[in-house]
Amino acid sequence: MQLWLIPILPFAGFLINGIFGRRFSKSMVNVFAIGSVVLAFAWVLKTILGLGDLNTPYTEHYFTWIQSGTFNVGADFTVDRLTAIMLMVVTGIGSLIHIYSIGYMAHEHGPNYGGYYRFFAYLNLFMFFMLTLVLASNYLLLFVGWEGVGLCSYLLVGFYFDKQFATNAGNKAFIVNRVGDFGFSLAMFYIVKQFGSLDFGTVFHQAAGASQSTLTLIGFLLLVGACGKSAQIPLYTWLPDAMAGPTPVSALIHAATMVTAGVYMCSRSWPIYVHAPDAMNWIAIIGVATAFFAATIGMAQNDIKKVFAYSTISQLGYMFLGVGCGAFSAGVFHLMTHAFFKALLFLGAGSVIHALSGEQDMRNMGGLRTKIPWTFATMMCAAVAIAGVPPFSGFFSKDAILVAANHHAPWMFWLGVITAGMTAFYVFRAMFMTFFGAYRGHHHPHESPAIMTVPLVILALLSLGGGFIAVPTFLGSFFPTVEAPEDFVLVAISVAAGLLGILMAYVMYVAKPGMADSVAGSLGDLYKFVYNKWYVDELYDATIVQPLVKGSRTVLWKGADVGLIDGLVNGTGWAAKQVGGLLRLLQSGNIRSYATWVLFGGVLVIVAMSVAGGIR
Amino acid sequence: MTNGVPISWYLVLSAVLFTLGVAGFVFRRSIITVFMSIELMLNAVNLTFITFSYQLKQVNGNLFAFFVMVVAAAEAAVGLAIILTVFKNRNTLNIDDVSSMKD
Amino acid sequence: MPINYSFSGVDTLRFLPEIILTIAATLLMVLDPLIKKRSSSAFGNIAILAFIAAIVASIQGYGNPGTAFGGMLIVDGFGTFFRILVMVVGILTVLASYRFLNVQDAETGEFHSLLLFSVAGQCIMVTANELIVIFIGLEISSIASYVLAGYLRDDKRNNESALKYFLLGSFATAFFLYGIALIYGATGTVDLTAVRAAQAGANAPNPLFIGIAAALMFVGLAFKVSVAPFQVWAPDVYQGAPTPVSAFLSAGPKAAAFAIFLRIFMTAFEPIGQGWEPLVWIAALLSMTIGNFAALLQSDMKRMLAYSSIAHAGYVLVAMTARTDIGEAAAMFYLAAYAFMNIGAFAVVTHLSGKGERYTSIDDFSGLAQKQPLTAAMLTIFLLSLIGVPLTGGFFGKFYIFKAALESHLVWLTVLGLLNSAVAAYYYLRILVVMYMKEPSEAAANAEPLSPGLGAALILPAAATLFLGIFPGWVLDFAGRSATFLK
Amino acid sequence: MDTILFLVFALIAVVCAINVVVQSHPISSALSLVGVMGSLAILYLQLGGEFIAAAQVVVYAGAVMVLFVFVIMLLNAGAEARQGRSLVASVLGAPLLILLLLLVAYFVQRWYPENPTVKFGGFQHGTALDVGRALFTTYLLPFEITSLLVLIAIIGAVVLARKELD
Amino acid sequence: MNLLLLTLIVPLAGFLIALLIPRSSSGGSRMWALISSLATFVISLGLVAGFDRSLTGNQSTIDVPWIASPDIHFSIGVDGIILWLVMLSTFLTPICVLVSWNSIEQRAKEFYAFLLLLEFGLIGVFIAQDLFLFYVFWELCLVPMYFLIGIWGHGRRIYAAVKFFLYTMAGSVLMLVAIIYLYNKTQTFSYNAILEMLASGRLTFNPEEGMLLFLAFFVAFAIKVPLFPLHTWLPDAHVEAPTAGSIMLASVMLKMGTFGILHYCLPMFPSAARQSAPWIATLAIIGIVYGALVAMVQPNMKKLVAYSSVSHLGFVVLGTFSFTQMGLDGAVYQMLNHGITTGALFAIVGLLYERRHSLEIKDYGGVATLAPWLSAMFLITTLASIGLPVLNNFVGEFLVLQGTALANYTWAVWAALGVILSACYMLWMYQRVFYGETNEHMRHHMLDLKPREWAAIIPLIAMMVWMGVYSQSFLPPVGKATARVLEQTQVNVPFRVDLKPAQSGSHTEVARAH
C-alpha cells in the first residue's frame, strides 16, 4: 500500500520549501506545503479504506536500518486500528491547520525573509516525523519520530529566533523532552536486554511471558518518556513556555498531535502495561495529579494561550488517567476529541490574536463576540465540548475515562470530577473575558479571512459531533476491555461539575465582573501561588539548573579541570623546571667545586664497588 | 728479607701522595699550584707502578712510569701554555676567578 | 734476554690509518707557513683527504682483522666501526669549520693538524687492546682537544673552556691511571685479554681489588664520556669552546671514550660485571635525569646541547647496563646516530653564531624557518632525532638501547629512561618553537647564506640521520656482528 | 737499613707533598714538589728502577719543574689571592679526601696478604738496558706514539703561545 | 598495484612534491594539496569498492621485511574497521584543504605540506599490521600536528602545541616499552603473529605481566582518546589549532586512541582488558558526564566542542569495554560519526572565525538572520552531534548504549545522562551564537556560505544523513571485524548478543514493499 508515501509526501514538501522556499512566492510555498499534507491525508484515507477492517496489523518492510550481530532494526511501517485513528487525526487536523496557517502567517514577520517558507517547511517536517512516529512498527523507529517531532517543536517554538524568550522556550522544550527521552531510551535498552528485539510484534509477544518486575521497570521507564513528551508532572514545564511559537503551532503540535504521542505510546505498549499493574497505577496517579494541578494554574492565567496550554496539560492528564486505569480506548478517544476541540480553541485563540494584531492578554480583550462572530461561535462549540456538556464530544470521552477511574480508584474519580469543574470554569472564564463585557483594548478587531474560519468551522463540527465517532468500538477489539459498568450517577456528577464550573465563570466574569478580583484578593497568597504556577519553574531553576551550571563552571571546570588536573600537569612541568634549577646550582662554574664533585663521585664509586665486591 | 720494607708501605705512601695531590687540586687557588698537584698525583701513580714492577719482577712497570712521565711532560707544556693564555686575557692566576660560565 | 720480537707489514697495515693521519697532520703543520692565509681552504681540504684515505685504510684493514704489535692493537669490527666513526666526525668538523675559521680570521694549519692528531689518538684508543696504549691514545686525543678548546686564544670563553677541560681532564686521567696501576698490580698485566684471563685462573686476584681498580678507571672514563656525577665540566667546556670544536668534542672524543669504556668493562672487567652493573645503572639514570632536567632551563644553545649530550651519554650507559652483545651493538649504533645529529645541531649553531660567536642563545634562532627554511629543516631533523621521533637515527638508537635493556630485564631503567626522553622533548621543542613559531631575530635576519662547507656539514649528517632512521639494518648488522670482543 | 731508607725518604716525600699543598706561594710549592720528586727517585732506586730514577731526576725534576718555575717567574705569580671560594670544596673536600685516603690506603695495604718486603737489589731489571730493550720491542708501539704526544705538545704550545693568529 | 599501498603513498608523494613548490606560490600549494588529497580519496574509494565484505580478517595485505634484526616488517592491511578509518582520513583531508583555502595566508606551502604528511601518518597508523611500524606512524603523526598547531594556531598556540606533544609523548614511550617487551618475548612485531601465538597458547602472560602491558598500551591510547582524566591537552590544542588542525585532530587523531584500544588492547591482552573493564568503563562514564557538564559552561566555541569530544569519545570507550557485539559496532560507528560531525562543527566554527575573528560565544548572536544557510548547516551538524535520529550519531550512540546495557545496565543509565546534557550544551551554544539580535559589525562581515565553503560542508552533511539513515552501507564490514575482536578477546559476558533472531512479523502480516 506504499505506506511510506504518507510521511514522505510532507517530507518532500519540507525539502522543496526548505531549499527553494526563499525564492518562492507565498502561493508557491502554499502549493507544496499544503498540497503535500493534503495528499498525505488523501493517501491515508485511501490506505485505510483499502485495508479493510484492520483486524490484523498490516506491515511493510523497507530496509534494515541498523544491524549488529543478530540484533536488527528495520525501517518498517505498520498500520493497525490505533494507527489508523492516529493517522486520521494527524493528517486531518494537520491539513486543517496548514490551511489555517496560510491566513494566520500571511502577515507574520519572522526573521529571515519573513520566515513564511520556513514556517511551512518546519510544519511539513513535523508532519513527516509525526507520521513516522505513528506508523513505526518498532520502538526505535517510533523514537525517530518521537525525537523528530521534538526537534520540530524546538524549531517552531523558537520560530521568532531573534527573540530571546522564544529561543529559551525552544531550548527548554527540547531539553526537558530529552529528559523524558532518557527514560524512553532506557526502556528500549531494557526491552532489548530482555526480549532481544524492538519490534512491537516480537516484544509484545514475549511480554506475556515476562516477569512482572521486568515489565514494571519497562513500563515505568516508558512512562518517563511519555511524561516528557506529553507534558506530565514533573516534566510539564516546557509546554506553557512553548506557546512562544506561532499559534497554529500550538494548535497542531502542542495540543492536537505531538503532545499526545505519550498517550499513543503508552496505549501502544498496552501488552506491557497490562502485566505491570504498578506501572499502570503510576500512570493513573500522574495523570490525575497533572490534570488537577494544571487546571488550578489554568484558572489563574491571563494570557489566553497560557490558559489553553495548561488546559492541554490538564486534558493530557485525563488521557493518562484513562490509560492508567486500563481504559486505553477511552484514553485514545479523548486524545481524538481533545485534538478536535483543543485545536479549535487554539486556532480560535489565534484568530482572536490575529484580530487584535498580536494581543494575547485577556485583560485587554472583552466584548469580541460581535466583532469576530465566526471565531466566537466556533470557539463556543469547543468550550462546551471541553466542559463535558452532553452530547458534545468531550462529554463522551471524559465520561468514559471517569467511569474507568471510578472503577480503578474512586479518589481518582473525585479528583477528576473536581478537575472537570475547574476545566469548565477556566475555559468559560477565558471565553467570557474574551468575548463578553466591554472591549478593553486599543486595537481594531477584525474578523479573520475565510481561509482561517473555514477550518474553524470544520473543527467546530467535529468538536460537537466527534463524540459519536465510534472510536471505542473500533478499538474495542484492539485493547483489552475493562469491566467498568456505566453508572448514570457518575455521569450526572461529572456533568454537574462541568455545568457548575460554567455557572461560576458566568457569575464571576459576566454577572458580577468585580467578583473575580475580590475572590483572588481573598485567596491572597494561595492565589499568588497558583498564579505563579506553584513556583515550579523557579524550583527547578534553583535546584537543578543553577546548581548544574554553577557547579560545572566553578567546581568542574575551574576547579577540577583547570585547577586540579591541568594544575597537576602544569605542576609537573613546573616541578621539572625547579629540579632543573636545583641542578644548575651544581654548575657554579668553579673548577675546584667541579673537582670536588668528581672526587665525590669517585669516592662514591669506590665505596659502591667495595660494597659490591664484598668488603671484608 | 726479614728486615725489608713491607711492600704495602710503598703502596700506602703512594695513596697518601695521591690524596695530597687531590687535596692540592681541591684546596689551592693558584692555577699553577693546582697544576702541580696533578703532577704530584701522577708521581704517586708512578710510585705504585714501580712498586708493583718490583713485586712482579717485571720491567713493564718501569716502562709505564716512563710513559707517564712523557705524558706528564707533554701535559706540562700544553697546560702551561693554556695557563699563559688565561693569564694574558684575565690577568689573574686565581682559579676561582675563571668561572664566567655557569648555570 | 734475546730479542724475540719483530713486527711485520701486517702490523703496519693495521696501523695504517693512524699513520696516514699523523703524516697528514705533520704535513699540515709544515705547510702552515707556506700556504698563504685566507686565500684558500687548502688546510681543510688536505685534512679531509687524509681522513678519507684513512677511512679507506681502515676498511682495508678490516678486510684482514686481527691483532698487531703483539696484541697491543686489535683491528676488529668494533674498533673499525669507531675508527670510521671518529674519522667521519673529523670530516664533518672540518666541513663545519671552514667558514667558521674564516669568519674568526683564524685559518691555520695547526687547527687541522691538531684535529687530525686528536682523531689519530681516538683511532689508537678504539683499536687498542692494552691499557697503556689506551692511556696514551686517550692523552693524545685529550691534549689535542684541550688545545682545540682554547683555539681562539684571545677569546676569554675559549681560555676558560680550555683551562677547565685541561685541569679537570688531567685530574680525572690521574684517577684512570691509578686504576691502571692497580690493575697491573693485581694481575701483572695491562693487556685486556690477559687481565680477563688472569681473573679466571686458580690464583686469581681478589675480585675486590679488581673492583677498586675498576672503580678508579670508571671515574676517569665516566669523566671523559661526561656521565653523572662526573659531568660537571661538560656544559662549561662545550659552551666556551669554538662551536665546531664543541661539535667535535661532543661526538668524537666522546664516542672514542665510550668505545674504550665498553671495551674495558666488557672484556677486562666482565667477570665482575655483577659488581659494576648497579653502578652503571645509577650513573645512567643520574646522567639522563641531570642532563635532561638541567637542560630545561638553559638559554644558550651550546650549553643546552651540552646538557643534552650528558643525557645521551646516560642512554648509552643504559645499553652498557644490559651487559650483552646486543647492548653493545645498541650503544655503537646510538653513538653513531648521536654523533651525526649532534654535529649537525652544532653545525647549525656554527652557521648562525657569526663573528665572535655572538649569537648562540636559543632566542637567536627565532624565525630561522622563515629566513632560511633549509637550515631550519635540517636542524629540525637533528632535533627530532635527538627527541627520538621515528624515522630518525635517534629513534632507532633509543629503540635498540631500550630493547637491549629490556632483554636484560632492566624494566625500570627502561621506563625511567623513556620517561626522561619525554622530558627531553620539551627543551628540544623549545628550539623548534622559536625557529618556526616566532618572528625572525636579529641573528636569523642577518644570517648569511649557507656556505658550501657548512651546507655539506648539515646535509651529510641529516642524510645520515634519516638513513639510520629508515634503513638502520645496515649499520646495526655491522654493529651486531662487531659487538663480540676478543675475550 | 732498607726500612730506614724508606722511612726517611717517605717522610721527606710526604712532608714536601704537604708543603706543596699548604704553601700559598707557587714557587714554594714548586720547590717542594721538586723535593717530592727527588725523594721518590731514591725510592725508585730502592725498588730497582735505576733508569726511571734517573729519568725522574732529569726529566721531571729537571726539565718539567724548571718549566714550571720559569712560568711562575714569567707570570710573576705572587702569593695566591684569598678571595673567591668554593662552598662545595670547603664543605665536602676534607671529608671526601679523608675517605678517599682511608679507602685506597686500606685496600692497597691489604694487596699482598703475606706482605712481602722490599730489599734494595731485590729487583735488577730496571736498568737502562732492560728498559730500552722492552721499549723497542714489546712496547714499540706505545713508545712511538708517545712521540706523537710530544709533537702535539709542541704544536699546542705554538698555537696557544704564538703572538697572533693571522 | 595494491590500492592500499597507493593510498598510503600518494599523500607521502604529495608531501614531497609539495616541498618542491616555490614558497611564493601559495595558490600552487593549495591547489596541489587539493589535487593530491582528492586523488588519495578517489583511490581509497577504489579500496572500498574492492573490499570483499564477505571476508573476515585483513585484506589488501602487504608484508615485506624492512629491517632484518629485529625482525621488522613493512606490513599493512585493512579489515572492516580500518577500512572506514582510512576512508575517514582521506575524506576529511580535502575538506581541510578547502576550509583552509583563505584562512591560511602565511607560509601556505609548509601548511599544506604538513597536512599531507599528517594524512600519510594517519593512514599509516591505521593500516600498520606490525607493532613497530604502527609505533613509527603513531609518533610520526605528532610532528606535523605539532607544527600545524604551533605555527598557524591562535594566541597560546605554542603552549598548546608543546602540551599536545609532551602529553602524547609521555604516553607513547610507555607503549614503546611494552612493544619492545612483547618483541623480546615473542621475537616478532607482527600483530597477526602475536594474536596467533595467543590463540594457540604459545604465548601467555602471567596476570601482572599482562596487566602492565595492557596498561602501557592503554595509557598511551587513553591520552590520545582522550579519556578522563588525561584529557586536558585537548581543549588547549583545539582552541589554539587552526581549523584544519582541529578537524584532523578531533576527527581522525583522536580515533588513533580508540582504534588502538580496540585493535591492540583487547585482542592482545584479553584477560587484563576484561579485568580492568569496570574501572575503564567508570572513567569513560565520568568522561561522558563530566565532559558534557564542562562543555556546557565554556565561553569559547572550540573549547566547547573540544569538551564535547571528551564526552563523545567516552561513549566509544564505554562501548568498547562493554564487550558486546553491539557495543563494539557502536563504538566503531561512533568513531566515524564523531569524525564527521565534529569535523563539520570545527569546519563551520572555522568559517565563523574567518568572518568574525573571534571564537568567543559572546561575540556572536543573530548569525541565523544574516547567514541562514550557514546556520542551517550548523544546526544539522549540531543535531547530529546531539544524537538526533536519522543523523549519524544516533545510530552509534544507540548501539553503544544498547551494548553497554546488555553488559551492565547501570553503566548505560549513567552514560545516557550524557545524551541529555549534550542537548543542553549544544543547543545553548547554538542559541547564543545563531539566534538573537544582530549587531552592526556582524551585519557587515557575516556573509553566507560561498561555493568553496559549500563544497567543504555539503559532503559532511551528506555523510551525516547517509550514515544516519542507511547504516547498512557501513556496518556489515565493521560487524565482521568486531566479531573477530570479540572472539580474540575471549569475552564471556553473560549476554553476548545471544539475541533470539528478531521475529519481525511473527504474528503479523508482512508485506514486502516492492
Side-chain angles (χ1 to χ4, degrees), chain A residues 2 4 18-20 22 56-73 76 111-113 117 122 128-129 140 143-145 147-148 151 154-155 158 161-164 167-168 170-171 174-175 178-179 182 185-190 192-202 204-206 217 221 548-550 552-553 556-557 560-562 565-566 569-570, chain E residues 159 163 167 228-233 235-236 290 293-294 296-299 303 307 325-326 329 368-370 372-373 379 383 386-390 394-395 397-399 401-402 405-409 412-413 416-417 419-424 427-428 430-431 434-437 448 468-472 475 495 497-514:
Chain A
Q2 325 288 19
W4 58 276
I19 295 172
F20 306 109
R22 205 197 303 178
T56 50
Y58 165 77
T59 301
E60 283 181 2
H61 172 80
Y62 303 108
F63 57 88
T64 302
W65 179 27
I66 299 175
Q67 174 151 26
S68 173
T70 51
F71 174 84
N72 75 71
V73 177
D76 303 352
N112 269 358
Y113 308 93
Y117 77 97
Y122 290 166
F128 164 70
F129 278 122
L140 201 64
F143 191 71
V144 171
E147 286 267 308
L151 162 70
Y154 162 80
L155 292 171
F161 61 69
D162 48 351
K163 303 283 184 289
Q164 170 115 34
T167 51
N168 279 348
N171 279 356
F174 200 96
I175 290 163
R178 267 276 156 133
V179 178
F182 169 70
S185 323
L186 291 179
M188 287 196 292
F189 301 151
Y190 207 69
V192 176
K193 196 176 166 86
Q194 295 298 328
F195 305 137
S197 172
L198 285 170
D199 276 331
F200 290 140
T202 319
F204 298 156
H205 185 67
Q206 296 188 28
L217 181 65
L221 289 169
L548 217 51
V549 172
K550 289 197 175 130
S552 298
R553 183 174 291 130
L556 292 184
W557 181 34
D561 218 63
V562 177
I565 302 175
D566 233 16
V569 172
N570 292 333
Chain E
Y159 170 75
K163 195 172 177 183
Y167 236 116
F228 176 89
L230 303 171
H231 64 276
T232 54
W233 62 272
D236 286 314
Y290 174 93
L293 285 174
V294 176
M296 193 164 67
V297 293
Q298 293 306 314
K303 225 169 193 167
Y307 278 107
Q325 176 79 55
M326 291 173 83
D329 284 358
T369 314
L370 302 167
W373 281 120
L379 181 64
L383 295 172
I386 66 182
L388 195 87
V390 310
F394 175 75
V395 180
E397 269 173 27
F398 171 75
L399 285 173
L401 287 172
Q402 183 65 71
L406 296 182
N408 185 325
Y409 194 71
V413 174
L417 283 175
V419 181
I420 304 181
L421 293 170
S422 70
C424 299
L427 291 180
W428 194 24
Y430 192 81
Q431 177 192 18
F434 290 91
Y435 292 158
E437 290 175 6
D448 213 337
V469 173
Y470 198 69
S471 63
Q472 282 307 94
L475 268 178
F495 192 113
V497 195
D498 294 323
L499 292 172
K500 293 150 198 143
Q503 302 167 4
S504 164
S506 58
H507 66 294
T508 55
E509 184 187 328
V510 177
R512 292 263 149 209
H514 27 264

Side-chain angles (χ1 to χ4, degrees), chain E residues 56 107 121 126 142 230 377 446 459 464 475 501:
Chain E
T56 33
R107 301 161 82 182
F126 294 131
L142 274 182
L230 303 171
M377 295 303 121
M446 197 52 68
M464 285 177 210
L475 268 178

Side-chain angles (χ1 to χ4, degrees), chain C residues 214-395:
Chain C
L216 286 166
M217 292 176 72
F218 184 90
V219 175
L221 291 170
F223 178 91
K224 288 289 173 192
V225 297
S226 69
V227 153
F230 310 102
Q231 88 296 357
V232 274
W233 59 278
D236 293 11
V237 171
Y238 288 6
Q239 186 187 1
T243 312
V245 175
S246 305
F248 175 70
L249 292 182
S250 69
K254 191 166 196 159
F258 256 120
I260 58 171
F261 203 163
L262 284 168
R263 199 192 274 277
I264 293 173
F265 274 72
M266 290 304 293
T267 57
F269 296 141
E270 211 212 3
I272 56 162
Q274 294 281 357
W276 54 259
E277 187 190 307
L279 202 64
V280 183
W281 198 104
I282 292 168
L285 184 60
L286 269 181
S287 307
M288 293 188 289
T289 312
I290 291 180
N292 284 327
F293 280 81
L296 290 177
L297 291 172
Q298 297 309 319
S299 57
D300 185 277
M301 186 76 174
K302 285 163 80 178
R303 205 170 172 81
M304 192 217 77
L305 284 172
Y307 279 110
S308 120
S309 90
I310 293 168
H312 285 280
Y315 295 128
V316 179
L317 279 197
V318 172
M320 194 170 151
T321 318
R323 290 197 295 127
T324 55
D325 291 351
I326 298 172
E328 280 153 33
M332 288 163 74
F333 185 91
Y334 196 84
L335 284 166
Y338 175 72
F340 287 122
M341 59 205 187
N342 213 42
I343 287 206
F346 271 115
V348 178
V349 183
T350 311
H351 170 57
L352 206 64
S353 59
K355 177 147 177 85
E357 299 202 57
R358 271 173 300 165
Y359 305 118
T360 59
S361 102
I362 290 178
D363 290 335
D364 290 329
F365 283 73
S366 296
L368 186 63
Q370 290 178 53
K371 293 292 167 191
Q372 301 202 340
L374 183 67
T375 316
M378 294 299 148
L379 184 52
T380 306
I381 291 175
F382 300 133
L383 291 171
L384 290 179
S385 181
L386 286 164
I387 293 174
V389 171
L391 301 187
T392 60
F395 168 72

